[in-house]
């Protein structure tokens, strides 16, 4: 009888641990390493990773990994709770799609990712928030339909502008003020990574 009880307790413990394996966590974060990676591979993609026609989120995920983020223990490719890249044929949708990664950050699966508010009394874009810093992530919804289409990594910040690196058009020093002006109907969300 004791053996059976011990087996049940052990089984419950294993289920409990595995169900919380990817509970909100905080990976180590080094914004300098993230920014250095972004600048190194913005124009010439890293050949060790798959290259998508729309490669922006794959690139931002690589930057986050370079900055210290670790893959999740659970590898469920279509779940917001999973974030990983094993190979060019095995990766999560949160690794490779802007909307998926945005949902992961927005829904608190990674502690240390803070959604920033609009700046200047709610008038200026979140990408101008005084808290934004190198290594942070900016998402763009080009059409305003609520689905985020593009991801960018902050590589510099001044009082007047935020500079981003991204793929698809392979840019290492894009101006968020210019990007916003050229895309009047777009909305942007920014996440501070710490």
């Amino acid at each position: 009888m004791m053996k059976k009880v011990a087996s049940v307790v052990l089984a419950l413990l294993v289920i409990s641990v595995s169900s919380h394996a990817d509970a909100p966590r905080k990976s180590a974060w080094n914004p300098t390493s993230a920014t250095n990676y972004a600048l190194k591979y913005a124009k010439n993609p890293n050949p060790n990773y798959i290259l998508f026609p729309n490669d922006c989120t794959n690139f931002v995920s690589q930057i986050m990994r370079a900055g210290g983020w670790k893959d999740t223990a659970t590898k469920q490719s279509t779940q917001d709770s999973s974030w990983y890249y094993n190979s060019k044929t095995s990766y999560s949708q949160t690794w490779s799609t802007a909307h998926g990664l945005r949902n992961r950050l927005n829904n608190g699966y990674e502690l240390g990712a803070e959604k920033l508010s609009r700046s200047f009394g709610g008038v200026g874009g979140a990408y101008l928030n005084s808290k934004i810093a190198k290594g942070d992530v900016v998402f763009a919804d080009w059409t305003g339909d609520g689905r985020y289409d593009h991801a960018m990594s902050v590589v510099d910040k001044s009082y007047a502008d935020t500079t981003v690196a991204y793929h698809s058009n392979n840019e290492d020093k894009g101006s968020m003020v210019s990007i916003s002006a050229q895309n009047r109907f777009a909305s942007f969300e920014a996440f501070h990574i710490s």
Side-chain angles (χ1 to χ4, degrees):
M1 177 72 171
M2 287 301 284
K3 237 180 182 183
K4 189 173 185 178
V5 170
S7 295
V8 170
V9 169
L10 181 59
L12 289 173
L13 182 61
V14 168
I15 290 169
S16 174
V17 169
S18 65
S19 69
H20 296 293
D22 292 322
R25 65 201 174 96
K26 184 171 182 175
S27 295
W29 185 241
N30 183 328
T32 301
S33 294
T35 302
N36 289 344
Y37 186 95
L39 293 171
K40 180 176 181 178
Y41 291 109
K43 298 276 189 176
N44 299 302
N46 185 337
N48 294 319
Y49 289 92
I50 191 170
L51 182 63
F52 295 100
N54 294 314
D55 196 55
C56 60
T57 310
N58 175 40
F59 180 52
V60 167
S61 289
Q62 292 171 41
I63 294 166
M64 294 167 84
R65 180 183 267 179
W69 272 28
K70 304 295 182 211
D71 292 6
T72 56
T74 303
K75 309 290 194 260
Q76 295 176 326
S77 65
T78 60
Q79 301 298 314
D80 287 349
S81 58
S82 288
W83 182 83
Y84 67 91
Y85 182 94
N86 290 332
S87 70
K88 293 181 179 184
T89 59
S90 175
Y91 48 85
S92 65
Q93 59 90 21
T94 56
W95 179 282
S96 59
T97 67
H99 198 72
L101 182 59
R102 181 260 177 202
N103 285 346
R104 178 172 174 74
L105 300 183
N106 194 55
N107 294 330
Y109 288 109
E110 185 75 43
L111 298 178
E114 174 190 352
K115 185 176 177 179
L116 298 176
S117 62
R118 295 178 67 80
S119 61
F120 308 119
V123 177
Y127 53 83
L128 292 174
N129 186 298
S130 61
K131 195 169 185 176
I132 203 162
K134 291 179 179 182
D136 289 353
V137 180
V138 178
F139 294 97
D141 170 4
W142 297 129
T143 61
D145 65 358
R147 184 155 189 86
Y148 287 83
D149 312 294
H150 188 56
M152 302 166 274
S153 182
V154 175
V155 294
D156 204 2
K157 169 74 171 97
S158 70
Y159 175 75
D161 202 357
T162 298
T163 306
V164 290
Y166 52 89
H167 274 183
S168 296
N169 293 334
N170 295 11
E171 177 60 57
D172 61 350
K173 295 176 184 156
S175 159
M176 280 305 303
V177 170
S178 295
I179 291 168
S180 178
Q182 293 165 8
N183 297 277
R184 300 183 310 148
F185 300 108
S187 57
F188 300 93
E189 283 190 358
F191 287 83
H192 176 61
I193 311 298
S194 61

